[in-house]
Amino acid sequence: MSIGKNIIHDSSRGHVTGTSVFVDDRAAITGEIQVGVVGVPVAAGRIKSINSKRAELVEGIIGVFTAADLQHNQWGAIVKNQPILVSDVIGYIHEPAVVIAAENRIALEKAKKLIEIECDEVKPTFSIDEAIKNEDFLYEATPFVQGDVDKALSNSEHRLKQSFECGGQEHFYLESQATIAIPLENGQMELHSSSQHPSETQHVVAQALGLPYHHVTCIVKRMGGGFGGKESQAAPFAAMAGLVAQKFNRPARIALSKDDDMMMTGKRHPFKNFYEVGFDSKGKITALKADLFSDAGAYADLSSSIMERAMFHIDSAYYIPDVLITGKCCKTNNHSNTAFRGFGGPQGALTMEDLIEDIAKVVGIDASEVRKINLYGQGINNRTPYGQIIDHNPLKEMTEKILKDSQYSKLRKEVEEFNKIKNGKVRGLALSYTKFGIAFTAKFLNQGSALVNLHLDGTIQASTGATEMGQGVNTKIQQIIAHAFGISPESVQLMATSTEKNHNTSPTAASSGSDINGAAALKACEKIKKRLCVFLHKHWSGEVFNDVKEIELDFEGDLSHIEFRDGLVVDTNSKNEIKLTEAIKMAYLNRVSLGGYAHFKTENLGFDKSKCEGRAFNYFTNGAAVCLVEIDEYTGELKVLKTDILMDLGRPLNPGIDKGQVTGAFIQGMGWVTHENLFYSDKGVLLSHSPTTYKIPNIQDTPREFNVEFIENHENQQAVHRSKAVGEPPFLLGGTVFCAIKDALRYRVADNRITSPATNEKIIMKLQKAT
C-alpha cells in the first residue's frame, strides 16, 4: 500500500547530488542563440524611439527585435491587455521593450547596455492611495452581501473603523524565468520552459509567432520553484525566445539573471483594506463592512481573481452574520502584480486576524477567547459571506487540541510575568487560523487529464497536466498509481509535462495540482484495470482465446472480487492469482489495451456572483497555529521562540511531503509579514532586486521550537483517497507571527497597530513611542 506513506520525493536525490536538470542546465544545442531583454528606463509615458545601432555593432550580436517583429503582441491570463514588448504607452519601469540575440552571453550583456530608449515621461502613479484618489481601477468585483450590514452596525455595542495595509512579496524562486525554444520542421516550435502553465505558454508563444497551437509544444520537466510567479508570467519570456528561434531557425535560450527577473516580473499584490466592524462586549462580531483595494500594477494579469480570493477569505475562520465586502484592483505604474502562494487569501485573512487583535484590546479579553467565540460552528453559524455552507468543520476540536498541546494558558501567564520585568525584551503570544477554500474560483479551470501507460515488464510511465516545482506533486501521483496497481512506487515514472500528451491543461496552482491530476491519473488506472479484470475473469472462468476467437471486453457484472496487491492480481472468490507481469503479457498477446487516458472535472462546483450563493469551493483545508515571539526593545530584532501548528489535511497521501509543505509555507508566510520588504526609488525602480538587498527568512529566523502535527480526518470524500490540498493553506498561518508581534507591542505602547511587514525598523520606531 503506497497511500499515506513517506515515499521520498522523486527528485530528492537529484536535487541533493546536483544531477536534477533544470532549463538552463540543459546542454547547449549546436547553433544555439543566447537571448536577452532590455526594459524601458521610465515608469510612465510613451516610447519616442529605440536606437539599437551601437548594440548591433558588438561582435557576436546577430539581431535586435522589438514589438514590430511579433505577429501578435498582446497577452494576459484573463484580459489580454499587456504587451509582450512595449511599443508605445509604458506601464512600468524596466518593462520589456527590446530583445537581443547573441552568439554568447558576454556579447549579450555588453549589447544590453548600449540600447538607447528615448521616452516622453509623464507623472506615474505608485500607490494605492493615489489610484483611489484618481479613481483608476482595472477591475471592480461584484460585492459579497449577506444581511443588512448598516442596520447591524448601528445596533452594535462597539464599532471600529480603520484600515489595514500589507505589502507585496518577491517570489524568490531559485530558478529565474527560463525557456529554450527549438525550431522543428514544418515551422513547428518546441519549448522547454520553467512554467506552471504549459498550455498558456504554448498559446501565448503560438499567437506571438503567428502559429496554430498544434505547431507549438511546451514541455516542463521541473521548475526550481514557482510559488505562482511562473503561472502567467513565464509565457511572455518564452515568446521572446521563440521569436529569436523562429527568426534564425536556430535554438534560442533565455535565462534571466536574478536582478532582471526581480525588476521585470510582478510580485504578491500589496493591499490596503478599509473596514468598519461591529461587535459586542464579549468580542462577538456582529457586522463587517470591508472595502478591499489591491495594487494590481500596470496590467490586469490575474488581479481580478486574486481580489476575489481575498474577498472569499477575509472572514478567515470566523462567522459574521451581516457583511458587505467590496473589492477594487488599482492601476499603478508598478510591475504588473501576479499570482503568489495563497492568491489573495493571505491578504484577506490577515486583515481579519489583525482585526481580532484590535477587538480583543477594546473589550479587554485575551485574543484567543475572541477567536473562539467567533469561530464557524457545526450546523449553526456556518454560512460564509459568499453564501457557502461549511460542512465537516473541525475548527472547534482543533482549537481545543492546539491550546492544550501548546500549553497556551501557561505561556500566557509566562508572557505576563516576563513582560513585567524591564530587561530590554518583550514577548508576545498569538493564536490564529487558516480556513482555505480548495478550487479554482474560475470554474472551468477545475479540470485535469492523465495518460497512463503500462509496459510489459510491469512498469508504468504516466503524464499529467501537473507541473513539478518542488512541491512533490509527481511523487503523490506516483503513489496514487502504484497503489492502484498494487506495485512499488519505484515502478512508476512520472514524465515531463507536455502539451502534446495533456492538452488544454489548467495551471498547477490553487493548491489543486494533486487533487485534479491525481484524480485523473486514478481514473486512467481504473480504465486499464477494468480491461485486465474482464480479461482475467473470463480467462479464469475457462474461456479460451486463440487466433480464431478473440477476447470481448464487454462485461456488466461485479469485478470487485479481483484485486491488485503486492505485484499480484488476485480473485478473492476463486482464489486464483497471477503475477501482474504475467497478466500484462497475456493481455498484450490478446490485444488488450494497456494504456489509459482520462479526464477529470471537480463536481458540484458553482458560484453565482450576482446572488452571492453556491459552492465556490470543493472543500476547506483547515489549520491553527500558536506562536510565541520575543522582541529586543533596543534594536527591534524579532525572534520566534516557539510555534505549534495543527493541520487538517484529511488523509495525507504522503505525510512527509505534506509536513515539508506546511513548514515551508509557514516560514514563507512569516517572511511576508516580518521582513520581506520591497524598496523602491522615487522613480519606481526596485532597489531590493537581488539576494543581497532582499531578505528572505534564513535558518536563524525559523522558530526555535517548531512543532507540526496533523489531526486524523478521513471524512473528506471530495478529493482523491480522502486527502486534502496542502500547498497554500499553511501560508496563512505565518500571519500568527504578525499577531504575536502586535500582542508584544501592546505591553509597551498605547497604539500597537502596525502595517505588514512588521520589520525590525517598524518595530523599533513603534517602541520609541512607548509611554
Side-chain angles (χ1 to χ4, degrees):
M1 181 174 179
S2 300
I3 297 302
K5 290 188 176 180
N6 290 330
I7 307 301
I8 66 168
H9 191 293
D10 71 336
S11 296
S12 58
R13 290 191 177 94
H15 290 349
V16 171
T17 59
T19 56
S20 294
V21 178
F22 299 88
V23 172
D24 204 28
D25 292 327
R26 294 173 64 91
I29 306 170
T30 301
E32 185 177 282
I33 301 169
Q34 300 296 323
V35 180
V37 58
V38 177
V40 294
V42 301
R46 290 180 181 271
I47 293 178
K48 287 178 63 178
S49 65
I50 297 175
N51 186 346
S52 61
K53 291 179 180 178
R54 293 173 61 208
E56 291 169 10
L57 294 174
V58 174
E59 185 178 354
I61 297 302
I62 60 174
V64 177
F65 305 100
T66 64
D69 295 289
L70 294 166
Q71 297 296 313
H72 184 78
N73 191 35
Q74 296 294 112
W75 72 281
I78 299 174
V79 179
K80 291 179 171 52
N81 72 336
Q82 183 165 357
I84 296 171
L85 295 172
V86 62
S87 61
D88 185 15
V89 179
I90 296 166
Y92 61 96
I93 198 164
H94 298 129
E95 181 177 9
V98 179
V99 169
I100 304 176
E103 298 288 1
N104 58 74
R105 292 191 180 183
I106 295 174
L108 186 64
E109 292 306 315
K110 186 175 181 180
K112 284 167 64 176
K113 298 174 184 176
L114 299 176
I115 297 291
E116 299 171 0
I117 303 176
E118 188 179 355
C119 306
D120 281 330
E121 190 174 2
V122 299
K123 185 178 184 301
T125 297
F126 289 135
S127 72
I128 290 174
D129 287 336
E130 287 178 276
I132 293 173
K133 181 180 177 182
N134 298 333
E135 296 187 344
D136 200 354
F137 305 114
L138 286 168
Y139 178 74
E140 183 171 351
T142 302
F144 291 171
V145 183
Q146 298 288 340
D148 187 338
V149 70
D150 289 325
K151 181 178 179 181
L153 282 170
S154 64
N155 292 334
S156 296
E157 191 174 350
H158 297 281
R159 293 166 74 171
L160 279 176
K161 189 175 184 179
Q162 53 198 30
S163 64
F164 175 74
E165 292 183 62
C166 50
Q169 186 179 20
E170 166 61 39
H171 298 90
F172 216 86
Y173 32 70
L174 296 182
E175 178 195 29
S176 295
Q177 302 283 2
T179 294
I180 299 173
I182 306 170
L184 305 176
E185 60 186 29
N186 300 324
Q188 296 177 69
M189 189 69 66
E190 180 177 287
L191 308 168
H192 293 267
S193 181
S194 184
S195 170
Q196 292 175 236
H197 199 345
S199 287
E200 183 177 17
T201 300
Q202 172 199 22
H203 299 165
V204 170
V205 173
Q207 291 163 7
L209 304 187
L211 299 174
Y213 290 172
H214 75 300
H215 275 198
V216 179
T217 301
C218 182
I219 301 168
V220 179
K221 172 61 178 174
R222 61 167 61 86
M223 287 162 276
F227 307 116
K230 296 174 181 176
E231 179 175 342
S232 63
Q233 299 201 359
F237 295 103
M240 296 172 201
L243 171 64
V244 173
Q246 186 185 57
K247 289 289 186 182
F248 295 99
N249 198 32
R250 292 167 57 183
R253 178 187 305 238
I254 187 169
L256 297 187
S257 68
K258 179 54 68 177
D259 298 82
D260 282 348
D261 189 297
M262 292 180 73
M263 288 189 288
M264 291 180 176
T265 61
K267 321 298 177 194
R268 180 184 295 281
H269 288 65
F271 268 66
K272 186 168 186 178
N273 301 329
F274 300 86
Y275 59 83
E276 185 173 7
V277 62
F279 53 97
D280 64 21
S281 58
K282 295 181 179 179
K284 180 73 173 176
I285 298 173
T286 53
L288 174 69
K289 181 187 288 187
D291 300 309
L292 281 60
F293 295 88
S294 69
D295 181 348
Y299 303 104
D301 200 272
L302 291 158
S303 296
S304 58
S305 291
I306 289 164
M307 171 55 72
E308 288 171 353
R309 174 72 72 158
M311 294 166 66
F312 279 122
H313 285 79
I314 197 170
D315 61 332
S316 187
Y318 312 109
Y319 171 68
I320 311 167
D322 295 87
V323 295
L324 171 59
I325 302 168
T326 68
K328 294 180 181 178
C329 302
C330 298
K331 186 180 188 302
T332 68
N333 292 109
N334 295 317
H335 27 224
S336 190
N337 289 313
T338 190
F340 201 129
R341 194 177 199 169
F343 204 76
Q347 294 96 313
L350 185 60
T351 302
M352 177 55 68
E353 297 293 349
D354 173 80
L355 174 55
I356 292 282
E357 295 291 322
D358 293 340
I359 291 173
K361 186 177 177 182
V362 170
V363 298
I365 298 173
D366 190 280
S368 67
E369 295 299 320
V370 175
R371 287 182 164 88
K372 285 166 62 177
I373 200 173
N374 284 293
L375 275 180
Y376 277 109
Q378 297 172 332
I380 60 169
N381 297 341
N382 62 342
R383 184 182 180 90
T384 66
Y386 43 93
Q388 182 165 343
I389 302 301
I390 298 176
D391 50 13
H392 305 298
N393 174 19
L395 288 168
K396 184 174 183 292
E397 291 78 3
M398 292 180 74
T399 300
E400 293 171 356
K401 180 171 173 54
I402 197 167
L403 290 177
K404 179 182 177 182
D405 292 351
S406 67
Q407 298 184 301
Y408 184 92
S409 296
K410 180 173 179 288
L411 287 176
R412 174 57 72 192
K413 291 177 183 177
E414 291 175 355
V415 166
E416 296 281 352
E417 292 303 314
F418 181 89
N419 289 341
K420 290 177 182 177
I421 305 169
K422 304 290 185 177
N423 63 353
K425 309 281 186 183
V426 62
R427 289 182 177 177
L429 180 67
L431 159 75
S432 79
Y433 298 92
T434 180
K435 176 194 65 65
F436 199 86
I438 304 301
F440 287 98
T441 51
K443 183 180 177 180
F444 72 92
L445 291 175
N446 295 285
Q447 59 179 310
S449 63
L451 174 65
V452 175
N453 291 323
L454 183 55
H455 295 290
L456 292 178
D457 64 351
T459 61
I460 293 173
Q461 289 178 319
S463 306
T464 76
T467 56
E468 177 63 57
M469 63 193 90
Q471 83 279 35
V473 66
N474 281 353
T475 306
K476 288 185 174 183
I477 296 174
Q478 179 187 34
Q479 290 177 258
I480 290 168
I481 295 171
H483 181 76
F485 285 100
I487 59 178
S488 69
E490 290 77 13
S491 295
V492 181
Q493 178 63 55
L494 267 291
M495 309 305 291
T497 309
S498 173
T499 55
E500 68 172 330
K501 295 187 182 72
N502 299 95
H503 59 290
N504 303 327
T505 56
S506 296
T508 303
S511 303
S512 61
S514 295
D515 281 14
I516 292 172
N517 296 282
L522 180 58
K523 199 172 177 180
C525 292
E526 295 301 329
K527 288 184 176 182
I528 303 170
K529 287 171 64 179
K530 183 176 181 180
R531 292 187 212 116
L532 286 172
C533 286
V534 171
F535 171 74
L536 289 172
H537 174 75
K538 293 190 174 187
H539 167 67
W540 285 328
S541 298
E543 229 177 291
V544 177
F545 319 118
N546 51 42
D547 290 343
V548 177
K549 183 180 180 183
E550 293 196 32
I551 177 74
E552 295 292 338
L553 294 177
D554 294 333
F555 187 82
E556 299 300 327
D558 178 26
L559 294 170
S560 62
H561 55 92
I562 300 179
E563 299 178 358
F564 291 71
R565 61 191 188 207
D566 301 324
L568 301 172
V569 187
V570 179
D571 187 331
T572 58
N573 287 348
S574 67
K575 307 304 179 185
N576 285 312
E577 66 177 47
I578 187 173
K579 288 183 178 179
L580 177 61
T581 50
E582 292 180 14
I584 292 168
K585 290 173 184 175
M586 286 176 60
Y588 167 71
L589 293 173
N590 285 276
R591 299 195 295 184
V592 175
S593 171
L594 298 171
Y597 174 85
H599 175 267
F600 172 82
K601 63 179 181 179
T602 308
E603 300 289 354
N604 302 317
L605 287 178
F607 176 67
D608 188 331
K609 292 182 184 180
S610 63
K611 296 180 181 179
C612 201
E613 64 182 25
R615 284 182 59 84
F617 301 112
N618 192 25
Y619 61 88
F620 296 91
T621 293
N622 304 286
V626 169
C627 286
L628 174 67
V629 304
E630 182 177 280
I631 294 170
D632 187 310
E633 296 183 70
Y634 301 113
T635 65
E637 181 185 8
L638 170 73
K639 291 181 181 179
V640 182
L641 301 180
K642 185 175 186 286
T643 294
D644 291 271
I645 294 176
L646 184 64
M647 291 296 301
D648 161 32
L649 299 180
R651 185 168 66 181
L653 297 172
N654 187 314
I657 283 178
D658 284 357
K659 186 173 183 179
Q661 286 288 286
V662 171
T663 54
F666 174 83
I667 296 300
Q668 192 175 41
M670 180 190 74
W672 172 54
V673 300
T674 55
H675 48 249
E676 291 192 43
N677 209 6
L678 296 163
F679 288 94
Y680 297 87
S681 74
D682 58 1
K683 296 289 187 180
V685 177
L686 179 66
L687 301 176
S688 50
H689 57 75
S690 73
T692 59
T693 53
Y694 185 78
K695 187 182 187 309
I696 63 171
N698 63 34
I699 192 65
Q700 297 300 325
D701 297 309
T702 58
R704 271 54 177 174
E705 182 182 339
F706 202 178
N707 304 307
V708 176
E709 187 179 352
F710 304 153
I711 67 167
E712 184 175 311
N713 178 10
H714 296 176
E715 299 300 317
N716 184 44
Q717 298 185 41
Q718 285 100 326
V720 60
H721 290 303
R722 304 194 179 196
S723 60
K724 282 194 174 186
V726 65
E728 294 170 293
F731 184 99
L732 280 64
L733 294 177
T736 317
V737 178
F738 181 85
C739 293
I741 292 170
K742 282 193 68 171
D743 183 67
L745 290 173
R746 74 180 175 88
Y747 287 96
R748 295 291 187 262
V749 295
D751 178 12
N752 69 331
R753 303 199 74 242
I754 192 169
T755 59
S756 176
T759 61
N760 294 353
E761 294 87 347
K762 287 183 186 177
I763 291 172
I764 194 64
M765 290 175 70
K766 180 67 73 169
L767 286 170
Q768 286 176 353
K769 298 178 181 179
T771 55

